[in-house]
Structure formats: C-alpha cells, structure tokens
C-alpha cells in the first residue's frame, strides 16, 4: 500500500473518531458504517482470536516488536500493522496467513476461519469498543507429545524376545547404529548391585554369582535381580532418588536455618514404600492428601512430609506474620513451593511459570496456577502426630488447639483495641515518662530474664550458662537479679539461696572446671536489685555457668530466675556475654517475659537515680493505670478475664494429651509460635494476582488445576466456601487418574533413569515445550502403560523388566563409528558409564573398610557435624565431627541433611542441593574431587579402618593383601598390569596409603 493510501486511511480513521463532517469524510463514514454492519462481532468473534493467539506476546509487558494489542488505542496506533478498512495491506493479516505463517511463534497457526474473521474485521474498519481491554486468554493447545493420551504402541517385530530390546533395536536400526556386546559377569554384578542397592557387591557375592552364571547365566541373573530387589538396601537406594526430587532436608533453610528434628519419619516412609513396592497411585495420593483419603493409616500422615519437605522461611512466618506484607509474601512463596513440587515431581510440568502471566510454552493459565494455590490455602508446615495417638484423641486434641488459636487471636484484637484508646488519652503522660527515663536512667518498670522450670523441692539442682564464643579474658562477671512486679514478686525473684559460679573451656563442664565463687555452704540473702559480682582468675575461659544447689521459694514451689549475666573485660567497655548463646538444664520460654535470650540482651531492672524523678515517675504511672482502667469497657475487662481463664484450662487439657509420634508434614492444626498461627482448616483467601503482586489482588479463586489432557477437570469445588481437605483429595484424584498421561509418563521416565543412569526425556521435571522430547517415545509409552495397567501398579515390576533386557546388560565400551552418529549414546548402543554418586562413594568406603553399620536402619538421623546455636542462626560445624565416631558409620541416606551449610565432601562429589527439586544429578570431574578423595578426614579414617581389616583378613603377604583389597574395592582381582604398581606402593608407603590409592582408582569411582 502506498504511503498516500496509508495517510488517507489514517485520516479517515482520525476524522471518524473526531467527528469532522466534511463531504469527503461523510462518504468515508458511510462506507465504514456499511462495512461495520457486516463485520464480525468483536466480543464474540474477534477478541477470542486475539486473546488466544496474539496477546501472550503482544501485551503491554511483553510488547514484542513494540506492537501492543491490549486496547484499541494501542493496537491502532500502528497503522502498518492494522490498517482499518484495508486488510490486505495490514501486516497483522500478512503474518498470520499462508501455508507457513510467521505468527504466532508458539502454538498452532490460526485456522482458515480465524484468518477470515480477522480479514473481515479489518476490512470493516476494525471496530473495537473503546472501553474493551483484551485479557491474555490463550487457547488450550494440547497438541504436544506429553499431553496426548497414552498410546498402546505395538512392540516392533525385530526378532528380539524382550519388549524393551525390541524398541531399542528398532531405534538403533533406524539410526544405523550397531550395539556393542554384553558386559562380562563381574561388570554386570557390580553394575546391578550399585544400581539397585547403592553398595558394592562383596567378594563372596561375586564368587557365588560367577559360579551360578557358569551353570545357567539366565537363571543366575534372575536370582541376583530378585535378591537385590528384596534387599532392604533397594529401598534405601531408590528412596535417595525420590528424596532428591522431593527436596528433602532436615533444616528449614533461609536465614534462620533451624533443625527439623521430626523430618526423618518421612524419609523412612519413602524407604519403606519402595521396599514394600507400594502401588504408585497410592504413593502419590498419600503425599498430597493421605490424611483425608487414608485417615486410619499412619502412612496417610507420613506421606504429607512431601509437601513440607522443602525450605521454609522461619522469619517470614514466625517473626513477621501475615499481618504484614512481607509475611503474606512468605505465605505466598510457601504455597508456590508446594504447588511447584507437586507438579514438577508428579506431572513433570512447570506450573510455577504461570505465576505472573500465562505459561509462555504450555497450556497453563494464570488462573490455573492460583486455583492450585487455593488447594493449599489452609496448609502450613509443622510437626504433627502420625501414630501413637488414637483417632478420637487426636480429633479432640486438634479441636483444643484450634480453640486456643481462636481465643489467642480474639485476645490480641481486644488488647490492641484498648491500647489504641488508652494511647490516644495518655500521649502527654507517655512523653513525660520517656523524658524521665532518658534523663535519669532506666525506669522501675518490670524487666524480665531467664526462668527455669518449676521444681517441687528446693534441693533440685539447676544450671544456666553462657558461651562467650571463644576463650576471653574476663575481669569481672556479674549476676543481675530478676525483677518482676507481677503478683508483688519484686526484686531478687528466683535468685538462688545457694549457688556457685564456674568457668571452663568445656561446654559440658566435665573437664578443666574452675570455681570463681562458691556460695554453697550456707544460705545467701536475697540481693534485691544489686548485682552479685566476682573477679576473674586471670585465665581466659569460654563458658560461664551459674549452678544453683538450693532454689529460692516462689509460692509453694521453687525456681531459678535471673535478669542478666555479664562478663566484663579489663577496661570495662565490653560485655562479652551480650547476645551470647545461652544453654540451661531447662527453661520456660515465654515471650516476652521469660526466655534464655533475655539473659544476655542488655535489658534489666534499674532504679531511677533521682528520688524526685522516681516519685514523679510512679505518680505518672498510677495516673496512666487509672486512665486505662477508666477507658477500658467493663465488658472488655470481663471478656479478657474469661479468655484467660479458658486459655489456662485449655493449655492444661492440651498438655494432658499423649504426645504420640511426630513427623514434620503439611498441617492445619498446631500450637501458635510467635506470629505463626494455624488455620484450623479454614482456607485463607486466594486471589488472582496481577503480575504476581500481592498488592494488586484480583478476583478470588477456588481450588482447581490446569486441564492438561482431554477430559481433565479444571475446578474442584462449585461453592464459594470449601473444605480444604476435600480440595486436596480432589487434587490427589486428579493426579492419579488413569487417563492422566503425565503421571504415568513421568514416573516411567524416572524409573528408566534410576535404572539406566540417564532418562529417556532429558528434562525429567519438564515435559512441556520448554523441555526435551523423548528419544524413544514409543518405549516410554509402553512402560507408562504397563505400569498404569498393572493391577498392583508395581514400580519393582518395571525395574525388574528393565534389568532383564539386553540393553541393560550391554558393555560400556566405546565404538567410534557409533559415536560419530550418536556421540551422547542417546539411542543406547552401549551402556552409559557413570560415576559413583556422593552417597555411594561414602557408603562404599564404609563398606569395604568394614565400618559400615548396615543393621542400623531408620530412626533419627546421625549428625556428622557439631551444632552451635547462637542467638540468630545455628552454625553447623563439620570440621568438629570425628569421622571415627561409630554412630556416624551408617548409610549416608540416614545423615542429617542441612540446607544452608551442606556437607563439604558430599557437595564436592555432586550431592543434590536439597533446597530445590533435583531430577538429575550433576556429574563432574574436578581436581577438587581428587583432592577430597585423597585428603578428606573421612577418607583418611576409612583408610585406617581398611588397613586394619586387611591386616586381620590376610596372611600379611603383599600379594594376598592386594588381592583381597582389590576384590573388596573393585569386585575383582588386580589386573596383571596393576599388580607391580600396587605392590610397589604398598611396600613403600604401607596399607593406609595403599587403601587411599584404591579409593581413587577410576575402577572404583566409576561403574561400567
């Protein structure tokens, strides 16, 4: 179209919109009006096409090509794109037309009908209501391999009896690849034993297999497979794979990476589920809604450890809370983490990409994403009982906890309302009180500190100590008594009657204890508000402890209480105890009044220094109290009294319930912790957020999920109010439907990966258009359909099928002709060689050295670190752990996993990051790994154990030692070329160094 015609068209449009009625424009308006009468309806015909096909790239945020389609003004501001009245000259129509249109860049091209609609609309003058704004509403494009129904592919007729080999052979033939031959028997037993158990075969197991294989190779292989599948180590190995994708760890992560002492029961649940060959749909349902679907089975709660396994922001939830924006953001991110995990792991779908806009690649809309948020709107993470508490008692206990939460919330609201009323009337008094404190010192108002648990007799020994961080030269230590006006307790509350002050560099006070003050021989007077001081002994110390040998009476019982502990340096300028870590025999932690942290916060009771100021201060306080009493409505006072009485009764009732066995899991009922309050099952409101911004909430949403396959539901409830338990149950049913192709393809791909070492789909957590396509789609569908149609949905049956194939038993040898065609071995012409995982390396070193405690399975995790608990965040110190500690000589899956401070050796060896779902381990080869495998303290310790074992089990000759060592470490005797080198090293450097050499051989570190 000529520039003159462009200008004419723009002038006509301009005149039409500005009502300039010249004779020419009247004619143009008449033409446009006539066309508009026959134009497609914008709302019914045109808008759906633009919203489904164009807007995802041409909204204001994206604006590809600077072309924005959201409003009439923006869209028609580019006359070269849309020329009203001239469709043929409009670039929009050109780009979407033809046999191979340029647009849209993603998804299916426009249909002929849709192109005709746009042409007719533009020719009619592109009528568009001025107040109509398009909303990104892409069509559900299900034309993608992973979203298609599971096919029932015919097994290729290529002359192989095993179905897996038939699919693999057909692909090899198609790609003109020639498979290598079968691996030798030693390689096969080592490969299978590691793949199914994560441990090396013993020399005795190798010999037994070789002997059986000589007589009947197929029967020997079948017997070996069954023995390994029945081994408890199978569940430990495959659970390690699952825990990687489930982002399992035993600390919260984020800034305050506190331990989760009850996370481990979920780990044991996963191990047991694999060992028992739990039906896969049941395994899935338990991890999403087990407490609803299987209320009488402990696994129904244990499985919910999956939802809670990821990182959790303690500060955002406990210290900030939902009353502030940052707290609501923490809650939103918490739900996002659960939603992402469910769909990444069970569906291999990245729904989290739809948080701010419709998914750019897959048929997941923003409203789908927020419907999933609504499913988890009532759910948090907390310890909950899974066994040991009868169902009726658990129900009653939950009801009590919910009532406590509701009363606490009501009390906070009543108190805040009264405080606002009082502050409005006492602002002048409050200012004068502040002036007096500023001018004359701290006010005589109650300040609190440390409070032990209550004792029934005065002679129960109590202690409390502070950790100065490192040995310090302390000139003076001070014990400052507690002061509390509550109930007329007053100064010196809880100060011990008899006591001693001790120092040491040993936190247990078992070694090197020095006594600075011994007041245990006779009763000491109450010091009131005066500090009790003692001089240092001139030598540095790290720990300062007060031990009470006789407690002061409270009211018919006895306690130890203290306001502050100080450790002053020589110049008097520094208090080393300020903000130090505090430990005690026991403690009552009751914010704000009593807690260990109050002992070192620098806040304690002091009298005003001026008598007149003190008198004025107390008079003002009395006036303020009178105003508060006068303002506070009588009904509020009465209600607060009723609440306090009921809370006291309910707390006693809650404590009377048996604890039961706890697991850290998804929960809706739990005791309040700071600002972290349970919902009691009442869903929080969830809104559709504009660009994921909590400050711009849109319409409320109800539970649902993206309909990712034909016939899938998108909504789980119809009413505005819903039961969160039923919403999760519906999600679990949605996931495990037989017609859900994603679930079955996803787990089939993972089982292949965990057996063969590499997946059929290279992006196991993403089967969408942003991920990779399967190398063997028919084989994947065959395995997925077989698992789905198996009456027991047995995962072991798939593993059994895979390892029985020739493809699994192939050698890993290189073939240059094949490599030129398929360098990455994507089509399985050889078996993929792999490196031992971090856990396999550690477990193998323990096993061959004779230190592994195989019988010590399950239960609380061992800790290969010392934990320091300062005021803010714990420090996990791996360098302080003794690698010879037999309690840590368990399989690595039973190790306490920390998020922010991971284990250095295992991290170097490519251990999974527990803060994210890790579907496939990195496998690197670095100099740091070689240094770690040679120099790490654990390797040194295991080398000593291994040397002792060799000395015990062999005659002492070099040849016998080398033979036994190689059979233990490599599963075979030394090769002819290896023997002289190993003999020379053994004779020159000894058994320990020889053991470290074996731990660094490629034949040990890699599995062929």
């Amino acid at each position: 179209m000529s520039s003159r015609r462009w200008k004419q068209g723009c002038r006509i449009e301009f005149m039409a919109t500005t009502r300039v009625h010249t004779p020419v424009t009247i004619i143009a308006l008449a033409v446009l009006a006539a066309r508009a009468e026959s134009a497609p309806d914008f709302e019914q015909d045109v808008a759906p096409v633009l919203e489904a096909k164009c807007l995802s790239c041409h909204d204001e945020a994206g604006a590809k090509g600077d072309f924005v389609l959201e409003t009439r003004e923006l869209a028609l501001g580019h006359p070269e794109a849309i020329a009203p009245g001239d469709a043929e000259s409009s670039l929009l129509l050109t780009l979407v037309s033809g046999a191979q249109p340029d647009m849209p860049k993603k998804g299916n091209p426009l249909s002929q009908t849709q192109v005709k609609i746009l042409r007719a609309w533009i020719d009619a003058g592109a009528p568009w209501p001025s107040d109509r704004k398009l909303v990104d509403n892409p069509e559900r494009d299900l034309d993608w391999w992973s979203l298609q129904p599971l096919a029932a592919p015919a097994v290729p007729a290529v002359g192989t009896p095993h179905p897996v080999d038939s699919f693999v052979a057909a692909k090899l033939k198609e790609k003109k690849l020639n498979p290598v031959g079968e691996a030798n028997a030693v390689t096969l037993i080592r490969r299978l034993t590691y793949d199914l158990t994560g441990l090396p075969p013993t020399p005795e197991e190798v010999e037994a297999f070789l002997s059986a294989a000589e007589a009947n190779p197929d029967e020997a292989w079948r017997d070996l497979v069954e023995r390994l599948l029945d081994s408890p180590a199978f569940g430990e190995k495959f659970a390690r794979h699952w825990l990687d994708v489930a982002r399992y760890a035993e600390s919260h992560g984020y800034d305050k990476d506190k331990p989760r002492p009850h996370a481990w029961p979920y780990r044991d649940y996963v191990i047991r589920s694999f060992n028992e060959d739990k039906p896969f749909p049941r395994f899935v349902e338990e991890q999403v809604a087990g407490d609803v679907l299987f209320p009488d089975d402990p696994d129904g709660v244990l499985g919910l450890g999956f939802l809670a396994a990821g990182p959790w922001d303690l500060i955002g939830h406990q210290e900030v809370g939902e009353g502030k924006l940052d707290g609501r953001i923490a809650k939103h991110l918490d739900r996002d983490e659960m939603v992402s995990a469910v769909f990444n792991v069970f569906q291999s779908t990245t729904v989290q990409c739809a948080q701010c806009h419709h998914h750019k690649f897959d048929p997941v809309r923003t409203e789908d994403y927020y419907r999933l948020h609504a499913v988890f709107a009532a759910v948090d993470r907390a310890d909950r009982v899974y066994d040991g508490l009868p169902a009726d008692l658990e129900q009653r206990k939950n009801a009590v906890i919910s009532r406590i939460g509701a009363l606490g919330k009501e009390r906070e609201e009543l108190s805040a309302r009264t405080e606002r009323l009082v502050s409005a009337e006492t602002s002048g008094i409050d200012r004068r009180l502040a002036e007096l404190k500023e001018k004359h010192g701290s006010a005589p108002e109650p300040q609190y500190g440390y409070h032990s648990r209550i004792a029934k007799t005065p002679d129960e020994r109590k202690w409390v100590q502070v950790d100065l961080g490192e040995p310090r030269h302390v000139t003076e230590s001070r014990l400052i008594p507690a002061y509390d006006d509550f109930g007329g307790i007053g100064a010196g509350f809880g100060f011990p009657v008899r006591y001693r002050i001790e120092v040491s560099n040993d936190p247990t006070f078992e070694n090197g204890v020095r006594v600075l003050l011994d007041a245990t021989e006779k009763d000491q007077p109450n010091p009131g508000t005066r500090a009790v001081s003692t001089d240092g002994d001139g030598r540095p110390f790290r720990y300062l402890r007060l031990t009470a040998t006789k407690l002061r009476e409270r009211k018919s019982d006895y306690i130890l209480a203290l306001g502050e502990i100080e450790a002053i340096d020589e110049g008097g300028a520094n208090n080393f105890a300020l903000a130090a870590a505090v430990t005690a025999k026991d403690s009552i932690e009751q914010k704000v009044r009593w807690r260990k942290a109050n002992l070192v916060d620098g806040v304690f009771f002091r009298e005003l220094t001026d008598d007149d100021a003190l008198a004025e201060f107390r008079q003002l306080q009395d006036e303020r109290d009178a105003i508060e009493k006068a303002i506070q409505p009588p009904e509020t006072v009465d209600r607060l009294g009723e609440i306090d009485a009921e809370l006291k009764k309910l707390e006693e009732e809650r404590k009377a319930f048996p604890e039961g066995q706890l697991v850290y899991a998804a929960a809706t009922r739990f005791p309040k912790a700071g600002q972290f309050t349970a919902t009691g099952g009442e869903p929080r409101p969830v809104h559709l957020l504009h660009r994921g911004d909590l400050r711009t909430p849109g319409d409320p949403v109800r539970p649902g999920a993206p309909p990712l396959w034909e016939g899938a539901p998108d909504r789980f409830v119809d009413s505005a109010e819903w039961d969160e338990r039923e919403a999760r149950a519906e999600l679990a049913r949605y996931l495990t439907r037989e017609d859900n192709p994603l679930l079955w393809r996803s787990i089939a791909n993972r089982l292949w990966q965990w057996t063969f070492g590499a997946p059929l789909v290279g992006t196991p957590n993403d089967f969408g258009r942003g991920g990779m396509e399967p190398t063997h789609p028919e084989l994947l569908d065959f395995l997925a359909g077989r698992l789905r149609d198996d009456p027991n949905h047995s995962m072991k049956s798939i593993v059994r099928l895979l390892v029985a194939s020739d493809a699994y038993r192939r050698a890993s040898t290189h073939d240059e002709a094949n490599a030129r065609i398929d360098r990455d071995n994507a089509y399985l012409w050889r078996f993929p060689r792999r490196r031992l995982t971090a856990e396999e390396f550690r477990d193998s070193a323990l096993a061959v050295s004779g230190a592994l405690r195989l019988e010590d399975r399950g239960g609380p995790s061992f800790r290969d670190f010392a934990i320091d608990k300062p005021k803010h965040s714990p420090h996990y110190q791996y360098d302080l752990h003794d690698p010879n500690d037999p309690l840590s000589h368990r399989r690595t899956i039973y190790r306490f996993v920390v998020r922010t401070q991971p284990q250095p050796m295992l991290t170097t060896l490519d251990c999974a990051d527990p803060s994210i779902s890790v579907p496939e381990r990195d496998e690197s080869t670095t100099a740091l790994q070689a240094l770690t495998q040679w120099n790490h303290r654990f390797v040194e310790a295991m080398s000593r154990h291994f040397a002792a074992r060799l000395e015990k089990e062999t005659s002492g000759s070099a040849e016998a030692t080398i033979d036994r060592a190689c059979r233990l470490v490599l599963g075979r005797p030394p090769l002819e070329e290896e023997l002289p080198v190993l003999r020379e090293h053994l004779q020159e450097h000894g058994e320990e160094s020889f053991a470290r050499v074996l731990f660094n051989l490629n034949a040990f570190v890699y599995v062929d």
Side-chain angles (χ1 to χ4, degrees):
M1 185 177 184
S2 68
S3 59
R4 180 181 176 188
R5 288 185 64 192
W6 271 116
K7 291 176 183 178
Q8 286 176 344
C10 293
R11 181 169 179 267
I12 291 170
E13 178 64 17
F14 173 78
M15 291 176 178
T17 56
T18 54
R19 300 180 182 274
V20 181
H21 296 292
T22 66
V24 175
T25 59
I26 290 173
I27 296 171
L29 284 169
V31 172
L32 288 176
R35 290 180 177 178
E37 287 182 3
S38 60
D41 181 271
F42 183 80
E43 190 62 39
Q44 298 297 320
D45 302 318
V46 180
V49 176
L50 298 177
E51 288 177 335
K53 295 293 189 179
C54 308
L55 198 61
S56 61
C57 291
H58 295 285
D59 57 359
E60 278 193 277
K64 298 292 176 63
D66 294 327
F67 177 47
V68 182
L69 264 173
E70 280 191 64
T71 66
R72 179 181 190 279
E73 182 181 7
L74 292 169
L76 301 184
H78 293 266
E80 69 277 14
I82 299 177
D86 193 349
E88 291 305 317
S89 298
S90 297
L91 184 59
L92 172 64
L93 197 69
T94 303
L95 292 174
V96 300
S97 303
Q100 293 183 323
D102 294 318
M103 297 291 176
K105 288 291 188 185
K106 59 194 178 188
N108 294 326
L110 273 66
S111 66
Q112 291 185 6
T113 301
Q114 289 171 325
V115 172
K116 287 179 180 178
I117 288 172
L118 291 184
R119 176 180 287 108
W121 171 65
I122 296 174
D123 277 339
W128 185 330
S130 59
D131 60 346
R132 174 63 160 92
K133 183 176 181 179
L134 296 185
V135 178
D136 189 9
N137 189 28
E139 65 179 359
R140 300 277 187 186
D141 184 2
L142 303 181
D143 187 15
W144 184 245
W145 70 268
S146 63
L147 308 179
Q148 297 301 300
L150 271 183
V155 177
V158 290
T160 55
H162 195 286
V164 169
D165 290 324
S166 297
F167 286 106
V168 172
K171 186 66 71 172
L172 291 172
K173 183 177 180 182
E174 174 191 332
K175 301 296 180 181
K176 297 181 173 54
L177 294 164
N178 296 307
V180 301
E182 185 174 291
N184 62 55
V186 172
T187 297
L188 287 177
I189 184 174
R190 188 169 187 267
R191 175 190 299 172
L192 186 70
T193 307
Y194 267 117
D195 286 346
L196 297 194
T197 71
L199 292 169
T202 66
E204 295 73 25
E205 289 169 344
V206 172
E207 287 302 317
F209 174 71
L210 294 180
S211 176
E214 275 190 38
N216 190 328
D218 291 337
E219 184 177 337
W221 184 255
R222 284 194 299 271
D223 290 345
L224 175 62
V225 169
E226 292 307 315
R227 177 175 67 80
L228 296 176
L229 286 175
D230 290 340
S231 165
F234 172 79
E236 293 167 334
K237 170 64 176 177
F238 271 62
R240 181 65 268 164
H241 293 307
W242 186 261
L243 296 176
D244 279 4
V245 296
R247 72 264 184 262
Y248 171 81
E250 296 175 63
S251 68
H252 289 321
Y254 287 96
D255 291 349
K256 286 195 174 180
D257 193 15
K258 303 275 188 187
R260 293 176 179 172
H262 300 114
W264 61 266
Y266 171 71
R267 176 207 65 208
D268 286 359
Y269 155 84
V270 174
I271 294 171
R272 179 166 44 78
S273 294
F274 277 104
N275 275 331
E276 293 176 353
D277 200 15
K278 180 171 288 183
F280 183 64
R282 172 77 180 239
F283 186 53
V284 174
E285 289 171 346
E286 287 174 346
Q287 295 181 77
V288 177
D291 56 340
V292 187
L293 299 174
F294 314 106
D296 298 324
D297 189 336
D299 281 5
V301 175
L302 284 168
L304 297 179
F306 171 83
L307 293 176
W312 183 76
D313 183 0
L314 183 145
I315 293 177
H317 288 82
Q318 281 194 10
E319 298 181 12
V320 179
E322 296 178 71
K324 297 180 180 179
L325 177 62
D326 284 353
R328 292 194 295 278
I329 290 173
K331 197 66 67 181
H332 172 86
L333 294 176
D334 198 49
R335 288 195 301 268
D336 171 77
E337 204 277 338
M338 292 185 189
V339 166
S340 301
V342 168
F343 270 74
N344 293 176
V345 173
F346 298 124
Q347 296 278 89
S348 296
T349 302
T350 56
V351 292
Q352 63 267 32
C353 298
Q355 179 173 181
C356 302
H357 48 70
H358 296 319
H359 202 298
K360 294 295 185 184
F361 303 105
D362 301 328
V364 180
R365 299 176 181 172
T366 305
E367 57 265 29
D368 298 329
Y369 170 81
Y370 286 101
R371 285 180 188 134
L372 290 168
H373 265 254
V375 172
F376 297 108
V379 175
D380 288 291
R381 309 170 196 231
D383 290 332
R384 64 182 294 183
V385 175
Y386 69 88
D387 201 9
L389 190 63
D392 59 334
L393 281 184
E394 184 176 5
Q395 189 174 3
R396 284 167 52 194
K397 183 177 181 180
N398 287 336
V400 168
I401 291 172
S402 294
R403 181 61 179 161
I404 289 172
L407 288 171
K409 187 175 181 180
E410 183 184 353
R411 196 186 197 292
E412 287 178 3
E413 291 172 351
L414 288 172
S415 299
R417 189 185 313 156
T418 300
E419 184 60 32
R420 287 194 296 270
L421 293 171
V422 172
S423 296
E425 296 293 329
T426 62
S427 56
I429 293 176
D430 291 339
R431 281 195 298 271
R432 180 58 181 158
L433 289 170
E435 290 170 2
L436 288 169
K437 285 191 285 185
E438 178 69 25
K439 186 175 181 179
H440 298 286
S442 297
E445 53 192 336
Q447 301 290 351
Y448 311 110
Y450 161 77
H451 190 315
S452 75
R453 290 182 181 173
I454 296 168
K456 294 181 179 180
T457 61
D459 55 355
E460 182 175 333
R461 185 163 299 197
K462 302 277 189 182
W463 60 264
V464 61
Q465 71 185 42
V466 295
D467 177 1
L468 306 184
E470 60 184 74
R472 304 281 195 175
H473 285 280
V474 175
T475 303
E476 179 187 11
S477 60
R478 299 174 184 163
L479 304 182
I480 299 172
Y483 182 100
D484 191 352
D485 273 343
F486 183 79
I489 293 172
F493 168 58
F495 200 89
V497 177
R498 298 189 183 191
Y499 59 92
R500 62 175 175 268
I501 302 173
E502 302 167 298
V503 296
S504 177
N505 289 317
D506 174 13
T508 66
F509 278 74
E510 294 178 356
N511 302 297
V513 179
R514 309 192 312 263
V515 179
L516 298 185
L517 176 64
D518 190 344
T520 60
E521 294 300 319
K522 62 179 182 178
D523 292 357
Q524 304 296 315
N526 185 339
T529 60
R530 299 185 309 277
V532 175
S533 299
T534 183
D535 294 336
D537 62 359
R539 289 181 290 168
F541 59 83
R542 176 170 175 175
Y543 302 96
L544 172 67
R545 174 182 285 197
L546 165 67
T547 301
T549 58
K550 184 176 181 181
L551 302 174
R552 194 167 297 279
E553 186 174 8
R554 192 178 67 149
K555 287 186 178 180
S556 303
D557 53 29
Y558 304 86
I559 52 96
L560 168 64
L562 201 61
E564 191 85 4
I565 288 182
E566 294 183 333
I568 309 301
D569 68 358
E570 184 173 0
N574 294 315
N575 171 18
F576 296 126
L578 194 64
V582 178
T583 53
K585 179 183 178 183
D586 52 51
S587 173
I588 289 179
E589 296 289 308
Q590 185 186 43
K591 298 179 181 180
V592 170
R593 296 168 60 84
W594 303 107
R595 50 185 173 177
K596 293 193 292 290
N598 287 358
L599 197 57
V600 289
D601 62 357
V603 178
F604 53 88
F605 175 81
R606 300 179 180 91
E607 292 282 359
L608 286 173
T609 57
D610 182 273
D611 290 341
D612 292 338
L614 178 59
E616 183 184 356
F617 190 94
R618 287 178 171 164
Q619 180 183 349
L620 289 170
Q621 275 196 323
D622 289 343
E623 290 179 17
R624 195 185 193 283
D625 292 343
I627 292 172
E628 180 173 352
K629 189 174 181 180
I631 288 176
Q632 195 171 40
E635 59 270 20
T636 300
V637 177
D638 293 343
R639 181 56 187 150
L640 285 172
E642 292 170 0
I643 289 174
D644 288 342
E646 189 176 355
L647 280 173
K648 183 178 180 180
K649 181 180 178 182
L650 288 169
E651 282 293 346
E652 292 174 356
E653 187 177 349
R654 183 176 69 83
K655 291 175 183 176
F657 286 107
E659 280 298 316
Q661 298 178 58
L662 301 176
V663 61
Y664 189 78
T668 59
R669 291 175 173 83
F670 46 85
K672 182 180 179 182
Q675 301 299 317
F676 185 45
T677 306
T679 63
E682 182 67 27
R684 300 176 178 93
V686 173
H687 297 266
L688 188 68
L689 302 181
H690 179 67
R691 300 295 174 197
D693 189 345
L694 280 165
R695 294 167 297 184
T696 58
D699 295 334
V701 295
R702 301 172 189 171
L708 293 172
W709 65 94
E710 288 293 342
D714 65 344
R715 316 242 175 136
F716 297 157
V717 298
D718 296 322
S719 62
E721 296 182 1
W722 66 88
D723 179 350
E724 78 83 19
R725 292 165 55 85
E726 187 55 32
R728 281 190 293 116
E730 284 299 317
L731 176 60
R733 296 183 189 109
Y734 160 97
L735 293 170
T736 55
R737 285 172 57 129
E738 286 199 357
D739 63 346
N740 177 1
L742 288 165
L743 178 84
W744 307 105
R745 286 186 175 119
S746 178
I747 187 58
N749 187 56
R750 295 191 198 281
L751 291 172
W752 178 280
Q753 173 193 341
W754 299 342
T755 307
F756 273 81
L760 294 173
V761 183
T763 48
N765 273 15
D766 184 4
F767 280 9
R769 291 178 175 85
M772 299 174 68
E773 297 187 46
T775 54
H776 298 73
E778 296 84 3
L779 174 56
L780 180 63
D781 272 19
F782 172 81
L783 297 172
R786 183 162 179 145
L787 179 61
R788 179 195 63 186
D789 298 337
D790 178 357
N792 299 315
H793 303 297
S794 164
M795 290 186 279
K796 279 188 179 181
S797 72
I798 300 299
V799 176
R800 184 181 291 110
L801 176 73
L802 297 182
V803 298
S805 66
D806 291 342
Y808 181 82
R809 290 183 284 186
R810 246 170 226 137
S812 60
T813 50
H814 182 72
D815 182 277
E816 186 55 37
N818 286 336
R820 282 195 293 270
I821 301 170
D822 179 21
R823 178 71 59 181
D824 295 330
N825 187 37
Y827 301 109
L828 302 168
W829 50 269
R830 64 179 177 87
F831 191 83
R833 191 180 193 225
R834 70 173 179 88
R835 187 183 181 96
L836 290 179
T837 65
E839 293 86 351
E840 287 173 332
F841 177 85
R842 182 181 180 278
D843 290 352
S844 297
L846 284 165
V848 301
S849 68
L852 181 62
R853 297 171 58 179
L854 264 179
E855 72 287 348
D856 195 355
R857 291 188 157 97
S861 302
F862 71 86
R863 299 185 175 192
D864 54 354
F865 52 79
I867 184 168
D868 183 26
K869 299 180 180 179
K871 188 173 182 181
H872 188 266
S873 301
H875 296 158
Y876 301 92
Q877 299 169 298
Y878 296 94
D879 58 309
L880 299 181
H881 171 70
D882 180 5
N884 290 299
D885 179 6
L887 294 178
S888 66
H889 294 169
R890 303 170 65 193
R891 290 205 66 176
T892 312
I893 195 168
Y894 299 114
R895 183 180 67 88
F896 192 104
V897 182
V898 177
R899 293 189 199 279
T900 58
Q901 293 173 268
Q903 214 270 13
M905 183 186 83
L906 299 180
T907 301
T908 301
L909 299 179
D910 297 324
C911 188
D913 179 355
S915 292
I916 58 174
S917 177
V918 178
E920 194 171 11
R921 292 278 185 99
D922 292 332
E923 185 175 300
S924 61
T925 302
T926 67
L928 193 58
Q929 290 170 344
L931 292 169
T932 296
Q933 290 166 192
W934 184 263
N935 291 320
H936 195 275
R937 293 188 308 125
F938 170 79
V939 175
E940 291 178 348
M942 290 308 106
S943 297
R944 287 191 290 273
H945 281 283
F946 193 22
R949 179 181 185 178
L950 292 174
E951 184 176 350
K952 181 180 179 181
E953 295 183 1
T954 63
S955 62
S957 70
E959 283 72 16
T961 298
I962 294 170
D963 183 78
R964 180 62 174 166
C966 286
R967 290 179 185 274
L968 284 166
V969 175
L970 310 179
R972 59 168 174 78
L975 301 178
E976 186 176 341
E977 59 269 25
E978 293 171 338
L979 188 57
V981 179
L982 293 175
R983 183 191 302 114
E984 181 181 352
H985 189 93
L986 174 63
Q987 292 172 342
E988 185 173 344
H989 300 287
E991 284 86 351
E992 287 185 27
S993 180
F994 169 68
R996 291 162 75 184
V997 168
L998 293 182
F999 287 155
N1000 279 269
L1001 292 178
N1002 278 354
F1004 171 65
V1005 175
Y1006 285 87
V1007 179
D1008 281 318

